[in-house]
Amino acid sequence: MNLLTAAAMVAATVTGIHLPAPTGPYPVGSSTVHLVDHSRRDLWVPANPRELMVSLHYPAVPGGQPVPYATAAETKLLLQAQGLPTDAAQDVADARTNSRAQAPLPGRHPLVLLSPGLGAPRYTMTTLAEDLASHGYVVASIDHAYESAGTLFPGNRMLTCIACQATDLRPLTLNRAEDASFVIDQLTARFPGLIDGNRIGMAGHSIGGASALAAMEADPRVKAGVNLDGAFHVDAPTGIGGRPFLMLGTDMHGPGSSDQTWDQVWSELDGWKRWLTVNGSTHLSFTDAPTLLAQIGLPMSGLPADRAIAITRTYVTAFFDQTLECQREPILDGPTPENPEVRFN
């Protein structure tokens, strides 16, 4: 570690890492739910039933205590898996979120599921989750057991990434689609007065994006989907029935790129669709990584952190506003001077 990086880490400790404020009008509440599907064996540890940890973010009444970003034990494993210095694990865990432990705003709200990339815990999509919640959505960020660098489950059990050794990712993708359906079952049953079961969408990063499409094929309740820079790992869709889909990614997933799955899926999507490429973005630009790494002195190359976060939030929120809330969003019609990095394909 060079002196500049060390100094930046000291500064982060003193001033505190913070997530960017949400852009919507509502305060954000948050809580955590542990779900166990006793009808399914875990794909990675078949002796166990399938378990999920889910962070809920939602429009809330004002007040409440701040919700922590993660535990230091979890962030240490994530930094270690990414080959980054673990000195900053506590600082990242202590990052100031914009969420409070507070009751939801009364009324029925649309539901958006978020699925992270392989090896990434659910908390790495918090900036997007908080922003969607501030715009009136209930957001369920899912930790799929044994598919993150480290996720703390009840009983102080730290489940690590057995799935990271897999060579065939199709079973994982299809299994996440089953996870999504189970989460929908559980949340709509537990919170019928909070969640509108007729307005459900799903977005994911990397393989989580492939899982969003797989979930739409498996479950007609998922009305709209978003893939954030993920190879699809599944066959081109045959049964999403004209439902809308957004593909938002790097040049690696542009037309005619080395990942041909985007070309294949695009040609088969039969509903309203958009394929956007963000110039200067990298694979992690669509997660919390840009803002966290910048604040510990390890900024990513390419797109600045504030632009990476703003573009992801702007286009994903606009997509769900248009598809789940029936609000026309002109930003999805074509390029805009405010977002010169975004290319419509």
Side-chain angles (χ1 to χ4, degrees):
M1 185 189 311
N2 62 36
L3 292 177
L4 179 61
T5 299
M9 288 185 175
V10 171
T13 303
V14 173
T15 60
I17 298 172
H18 63 277
L19 300 186
T23 63
Y26 301 111
V28 177
S30 182
S31 59
T32 302
V33 181
H34 173 229
L35 300 177
V36 183
D37 187 350
H38 292 284
S39 70
R40 297 164 59 210
R41 297 288 93 190
D42 189 89
L43 179 64
W44 313 109
V45 183
N48 297 340
R50 184 63 167 166
E51 288 184 85
L52 307 168
M53 293 300 297
V54 179
S55 288
L56 295 178
H57 291 87
Y58 41 79
V61 297
Q65 294 299 310
V67 174
Y69 186 64
T71 67
E74 290 173 309
T75 57
K76 182 177 181 179
L77 288 171
L78 179 61
L79 291 171
Q80 193 173 60
Q82 294 296 317
L84 297 173
T86 58
D87 312 56
Q90 188 66 61
D91 296 324
V92 174
D94 290 340
R96 296 197 304 276
T97 70
N98 302 282
S99 307
R100 299 291 182 267
Q102 189 56 285
L105 194 70
R108 300 181 80 222
H109 306 277
L111 170 67
V112 173
L113 309 182
L114 295 181
S115 181
L118 181 58
R122 69 191 188 279
Y123 62 77
T124 58
M125 301 188 77
T126 300
T127 54
L128 178 57
E130 289 186 334
D131 202 60
L132 285 166
S134 78
H135 286 270
Y137 294 87
V138 174
V139 184
S141 303
I142 307 170
D143 247 321
H144 310 267
Y146 302 106
E147 296 178 18
S148 81
T151 297
L152 196 61
F153 276 71
N156 204 35
R157 293 173 297 139
M158 185 69 76
L159 304 189
T160 55
C161 196
I162 296 175
C164 289
Q165 306 305 314
T167 54
D168 181 4
L169 297 181
R170 179 182 171 85
L172 182 155
T173 306
L174 298 176
N175 196 54
R176 284 198 179 190
E178 292 188 67
D179 290 346
S181 289
F182 178 66
V183 170
I184 293 171
D185 290 342
Q186 292 292 304
L187 297 185
T188 53
R190 294 186 186 198
F191 309 107
L194 179 65
I195 294 170
D196 184 346
N198 294 314
R199 293 184 293 162
I200 298 174
M202 182 170 175
H205 174 248
S206 196
I207 200 165
S211 303
L213 180 63
M216 291 181 72
E217 291 194 80
D219 194 328
R221 293 175 297 178
V222 185
K223 298 295 195 295
V226 179
N227 182 348
L228 298 171
D229 205 51
F232 279 98
H233 300 293
V234 290
D235 296 332
T238 57
I240 64 169
R243 283 168 287 167
F245 202 83
L246 170 65
M247 294 155 51
L248 180 67
T250 63
D251 279 320
M252 190 179 77
H253 293 119
S257 67
S258 57
D259 179 12
Q260 298 179 4
T261 65
W262 278 45
D263 294 277
Q264 294 163 358
V265 166
W266 176 256
S267 66
E268 296 297 328
L269 291 171
D270 58 357
W272 186 97
K273 58 186 179 180
R274 288 291 183 270
W275 182 353
L276 310 180
T277 299
V278 183
N279 296 330
S281 62
T282 65
H283 188 54
L284 295 180
S285 292
F286 307 95
T287 70
D288 293 354
T291 189
L292 294 175
L293 293 178
Q295 292 180 73
I296 62 171
L298 299 170
M300 295 167 50
S301 60
L303 202 61
D306 60 339
R307 291 301 300 150
I309 298 296
I311 288 169
T312 302
R313 286 173 156 187
T314 296
Y315 284 90
V316 174
T317 301
F319 173 78
F320 286 124
D321 281 349
Q322 181 158 301
T323 59
L324 300 181
E325 296 279 58
C326 298
Q327 300 174 10
R328 184 174 176 275
E329 294 292 337
I331 197 171
L332 299 173
D333 293 341
T336 61
E338 297 79 15
N339 298 286
E341 307 94 338
V342 179
R343 186 171 75 244
F344 281 64
N345 300 311

